[in-house]
Amino acid sequence: MYFELSEEQKMIRQAARDFAQTELKPGVIERDEHQKFPAEQIKKLGELGFLGMMVSPQYGGSGMDAISYVLVMEELSKIDASASVVVSVNNSLVCYGLEKYGSEEQKQKYLIPLAKGEKIGAFCLSEPEAGSDATSQRTTAIDMGDHYLLNGTKNWITNGSSASTYLVMAQTDASKGSHGINALIVEKGIEGFTIGAKENKMGIRGSDTHSLMFNDVKVPKENRIGEDGFGFKFAMSTLEGGRIGIAAQALGIASGALELAVQYAKERTAFGKTLANLQAIQFKLADMATDIEAARLLCLRAAWLKDNGKPYGQASAMAKLFASETAMKTTIEAVQVHGGYGFVKEYHVERLMRDAKITQIYEGTSEIQKFVISREVLK
């Protein structure tokens, strides 16, 4: 296998790295402290083409590959996972779903401004009583002829208040089970659509996570994505790509923590020598680096499969499972390397540790990833 990145991919990675250092790092602790959405930074990411990376230039995107997407997600997540999750959702859930399955009219109206970064999207699947169980949608979309009447509540929605375009999964015919679910495009500001209070989260606190309420919202039939009953397949297909983005986010959190641990180990002295010269610290760093490299290869493999039109569902689940567990383990160890300073906000590692936990939960918990993987293994 050939592991060398192209010159273009290296340039894209460097651009993301420079942006993270110059635009995201200043103020990242304050944004975390005050749960402040990085609106200015997200606007600049859109101007750089990072909010529609894999969308065809025909629809306002940058036309990049999934490998470049992984590289960008890793670099941004080293510094600010609250910003990178916006990039992840807009790219791999919203833009991908619209480009692959949307009608030409939907692409012209919704995809182009999303891909250009002029607007932000949200993917609305989770519910109070149907988180990982996507077949048990309580939100309903009753067919009224020329429109659907949408009622229900969605939980844990990333970009909940900052988005303008929402892809909402809803049950139209419960008797059909998963075949009775539809995916609808809902615009912000439509009558009957309200946004709940912002969740006060442990990590990725700059990301705006909200509940959404729909009360007799009239959604035009032309806003349905695909044929009647296609919503479940739409959600499952889209989530496969979403797992690559979250895996890359977890990878970035882990590699950012390692970089900080290495820097600190080289500077801090104890017992007459730097921490980097203590074997116990060396062994920690070696384990961290090995796990991160394995996670990176899993992420790049899943992205390569996607780029080459090959099945990537199992690969993306493996990448998400291993990278998220690596992020959790690595950030805990990075705090340990820092000792008491690791518990202090200004050293960044405690925030990375808090951010790491969510990567084991969203886009399906670790248990869900194991189910996806084992299903393929047992075939």
Side-chain angles (χ1 to χ4, degrees), residues 306-353:
K306 186 174 186 291
D307 284 334
N308 286 274
K310 299 178 182 295
Y312 61 92
Q314 183 190 47
S316 66
M318 285 180 169
K320 199 267 186 185
L321 173 66
F322 189 80
S324 63
E325 292 184 348
T326 295
M328 201 69 249
K329 289 192 296 184
T330 300
T331 53
I332 289 173
E333 288 289 51
V335 171
Q336 196 73 13
V337 169
H338 281 74
Y341 290 106
F343 219 61
V344 179
K345 290 184 182 295
E346 67 182 277
Y347 283 80
H348 294 282
V349 286
E350 64 85 30
R351 173 174 48 82
L352 291 174
M353 184 178 72

Side-chain angles (χ1 to χ4, degrees), residues 109-126:
K109 184 175 181 180
Y110 298 108
L111 178 58
I112 289 176
L114 287 165
K116 289 181 176 180
E118 296 169 355
K119 294 185 178 180
I120 298 174
F123 187 83
C124 310
L125 176 65
S126 294

Side-chain angles (χ1 to χ4, degrees), residues 32-33 201-205 328 331 345 349-359:
D32 174 79
E33 181 78 18
K201 307 187 301 291
M202 177 176 75
I204 58 166
R205 289 170 56 80
M328 201 69 249
T331 53
K345 290 184 182 295
V349 286
E350 64 85 30
R351 173 174 48 82
L352 291 174
M353 184 178 72
R354 289 187 285 106
D355 288 347
K357 185 59 188 174
I358 193 61
T359 65

Side-chain angles (χ1 to χ4, degrees), residues 52-116:
M53 292 187 63
M54 296 172 286
V55 176
S56 167
Q58 176 185 356
Y59 298 112
S62 303
M64 301 181 197
D65 57 11
I67 288 178
S68 297
Y69 171 56
V70 167
L71 299 175
V72 168
M73 280 297 297
E74 179 181 356
E75 293 302 325
L76 299 180
S77 302
K78 287 180 182 180
I79 304 299
D80 189 356
S82 292
S84 71
V85 73
V86 179
V87 175
S88 175
V89 168
N90 210 69
N91 273 290
S92 57
L93 295 182
V94 181
C95 285
Y96 170 80
L98 285 172
E99 183 173 29
K100 186 170 179 64
Y101 299 111
S103 67
E104 183 62 28
E105 292 75 13
Q106 290 168 351
K107 292 175 185 178
Q108 292 293 330
K109 184 175 181 180
Y110 298 108
L111 178 58
I112 289 176
L114 287 165
K116 289 181 176 180

Side-chain angles (χ1 to χ4, degrees), residues 138-302:
R138 299 291 183 91
T139 298
T140 59
I142 306 303
D143 191 337
M144 303 298 289
D146 64 344
H147 69 274
Y148 289 99
L149 200 61
L150 184 65
N151 283 279
T153 301
K154 294 295 182 180
N155 265 20
W156 318 116
I157 305 305
T158 301
N159 303 338
S161 65
S162 58
S164 298
T165 306
Y166 300 78
L167 306 188
V168 182
M169 311 308 131
Q171 184 72 256
T172 298
D173 189 343
S175 67
K176 295 181 180 179
S178 63
H179 298 288
I181 296 173
N182 279 310
L184 305 175
I185 303 170
V186 180
E187 298 181 35
K188 189 176 194 176
I190 191 170
E191 185 177 356
F193 174 24
T194 58
I195 300 171
K198 185 174 183 178
E199 300 289 352
N200 189 359
K201 307 187 301 291
M202 177 176 75
I204 58 166
R205 289 170 56 80
S207 165
D208 61 326
T209 306
H210 294 257
S211 292
L212 309 177
M213 283 74 74
F214 305 96
N215 183 23
D216 286 344
V217 176
K218 293 182 179 180
V219 182
K221 271 286 181 68
E222 58 263 30
N223 281 27
R224 186 186 69 205
I225 301 174
E227 297 298 320
D228 184 36
F230 180 67
F232 179 76
K233 289 184 178 179
F234 169 82
M236 294 302 100
S237 173
T238 304
L239 285 173
E240 284 187 353
R243 291 185 181 110
I244 296 176
I246 298 307
Q249 182 187 47
L251 168 64
I253 292 170
S255 56
L258 175 61
E259 289 180 5
L260 291 171
V262 169
Q263 178 183 345
Y264 184 80
K266 289 180 177 180
E267 296 171 352
R268 181 79 161 87
T269 59
F271 307 107
K273 57 179 69 174
T274 63
L275 295 183
N277 285 313
L278 298 176
Q279 191 176 70
I281 301 299
Q282 292 172 351
F283 284 3
K284 282 184 184 295
L285 297 176
D287 286 340
M288 293 159 71
T290 302
D291 285 346
I292 288 169
E293 189 60 25
R296 183 175 290 115
L297 292 174
L298 283 170
C299 290
L300 291 173
R301 176 175 177 268

Side-chain angles (χ1 to χ4, degrees), residues 348-377:
H348 294 282
V349 286
E350 64 85 30
R351 173 174 48 82
L352 291 174
M353 184 178 72
R354 289 187 285 106
D355 288 347
K357 185 59 188 174
I358 193 61
T359 65
Q360 293 181 306
I361 299 173
Y362 56 17
E363 304 299 331
T365 63
S366 295
E367 290 73 22
I368 295 296
Q369 308 313 314
K370 291 177 182 179
F371 172 77
V372 173
I373 296 164
S374 64
R375 184 176 58 189
E376 294 298 318
V377 168

